[in-house]
């Protein structure tokens, strides 16, 4: 408790610099000690290659580490340099991304790679492209927000920028007992000013890695007995006040929209029909079976939840002698389905089709 009182003082603008430095350095040493002992070995934390770090950060947006790892390994092995990714077809990138969701990330990744390569001035003597090296240039890439730019700048170049992800919001909210919603404009501003105070400017790489990992592994949403064994509990206002488990606060979630899809699966035994989603809607440029959208009284055996939508799906098999001509569709052989980037829901439907087509 005593540390916490003084911590509050050091975070106030009126506190003495020497007290600030002393308690900051005590806080960092506890946090870093924990990190050295407990952190996971992750390939993108073992490199300073900005391209590889950028790939990992885009893949890990809204994706768990265990799932993202497989995609990261595939991407760096198939496209080891930014030039390789820029030279790929968008369809290939989407195909490799299949199953990860939020496909705009893959499209932006591809677009950004092409922008980096198109910038001919940024080349090493051997002709290789130089990845952007300042926060501002990284932030300007498609698909890169404030968090991702901070993460790449600090992990690749040790630049003094915070990387504030959901884990960091949670840790900061609890350490300082902030009950302002962190996902509002006002809340974001408040949290960013606090994290700027916390940031170890000389060791941003280590600081960001440690506080993110601490949030992911120790200061978790459900705390259990983690506070008792916490190395920084003496600095934690949420712990001292008994409010930690209630934090962080977020703004009320928008209402989820329900949609009902019927997939029409045409087959003559050897072929089927697919179509590419062209509307600026979910799964832009992914392929699926021809789909109609309306709610009926029938049963929809598939449920697929996206961030703001709940999809209910069913399918109807149409066995035909000759494939119909439906505008916007492609006739393909069944075994060619694997060559197209398909939504996860379509893949789930395909899994249940055996013996029915
Ligand atoms: S004491 Fe508990 S709430 Fe506070 S930082 Fe540690 S684990 Fe998180």
């Amino acid at each position: 408790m005593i540390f916490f009182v003084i911590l509050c003082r050091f975070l106030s603008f009126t506190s003495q610099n020497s007290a600030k430095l002393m308690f900051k350095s005590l806080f960092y040493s506890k946090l870093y000690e924990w990190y050295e002992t407990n952190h996971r070995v992750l390939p993108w934390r073992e490199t300073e290659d900005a391209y590889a770090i950028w790939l990992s950060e885009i893949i890990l947006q809204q994706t768990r580490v265990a799932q993202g790892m497989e995609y990261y390994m595939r991407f760096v092995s198939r496209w080891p340099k930014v030039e390789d990714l820029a030279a790929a077809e968008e369809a290939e990138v989407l195909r490799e991304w299949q199953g990860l969701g939020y496909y705009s990330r893959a499209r932006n990744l591809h677009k950004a790679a092409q922008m980096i390569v198109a910038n001919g001035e940024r080349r090493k003597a051997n002709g290789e492209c130089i990845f952007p090296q300042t926060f501002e240039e990284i932030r300007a890439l498609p698909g890169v927000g404030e968090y991702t730019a901070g993460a790449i700048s600090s992990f690749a170049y040790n630049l003094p920028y915070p990387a504030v992800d959901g884990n960091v919001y949670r840790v900061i909210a609890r350490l300082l007992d902030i009950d302002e919603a962190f996902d509002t404009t006002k809340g974001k501003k408040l949290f960013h000013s606090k994290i700027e105070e916390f940031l170890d400017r000389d060791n941003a790489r280590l600081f960001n890695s440690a506080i993110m990992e601490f949030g992911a592994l120790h200061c978790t949403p459900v705390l259990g007995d983690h506070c008792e064994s916490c190395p920084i509990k003496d600095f934690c206002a949420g712990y001292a006040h008994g409010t930690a488990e209630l934090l962080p606060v977020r703004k009320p979630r928008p209402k989820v929209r329900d949609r009902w899809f019927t997939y029409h699966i045409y087959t003559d035994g050897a072929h089927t029909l697919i179509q590419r989603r062209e509307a600026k809607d979910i799964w832009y440029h992914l392929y699926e079976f021809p789909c109609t959208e309306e709610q009926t009284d029938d049963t929809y055996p598939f449920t697929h939840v996206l961030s703001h939508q709940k999809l209910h799906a069913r399918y109807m098999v149409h066995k035909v002698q000759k494939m119909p001509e439906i505008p916007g569709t492609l006739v393909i052989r069944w075994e060619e389905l694997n060559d197209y980037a398909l939504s996860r829901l379509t893949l789930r439907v395909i899994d249940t089709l055996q013996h029915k087509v």
Side-chain angles (χ1 to χ4, degrees), residues 95-148:
R95 176 73 186 81
E96 208 61 84
W97 196 268
Q98 188 171 280
L100 208 47
Y102 299 97
Y103 285 82
S104 57
R105 290 183 290 165
R107 280 188 289 272
N108 281 331
L109 202 61
H110 187 234
K111 210 189 297 173
Q114 291 185 326
M115 279 171 60
I116 293 167
V117 171
N119 190 345
E121 292 160 22
R122 296 194 148 273
R123 294 197 185 266
K124 297 181 195 165
N126 65 5
E128 269 183 32
C129 287
I130 297 175
F131 198 88
Q133 289 176 312
T134 66
F135 177 89
E136 291 72 21
E137 287 169 336
I138 296 168
R139 177 74 176 81
L141 294 172
V144 171
E146 199 77 7
Y147 157 75
T148 307

Side-chain angles (χ1 to χ4, degrees), residues 39-52:
H39 76 272
R40 296 164 290 183
V41 176
L42 302 169
W44 49 85
R45 294 282 176 271
E46 306 295 306
T47 178
E48 291 176 15
D49 176 359
Y51 167 68

Side-chain angles (χ1 to χ4, degrees), residues 264-284:
H264 298 274
I265 300 174
Y266 292 89
T267 179
D268 62 2
H271 302 90
T272 190
L273 284 186
I274 57 170
Q275 66 185 13
R276 191 161 88 148
R277 289 186 75 91
E278 298 292 355
K280 291 279 181 195
D281 188 5
I282 55 171
W283 303 328
Y284 179 62

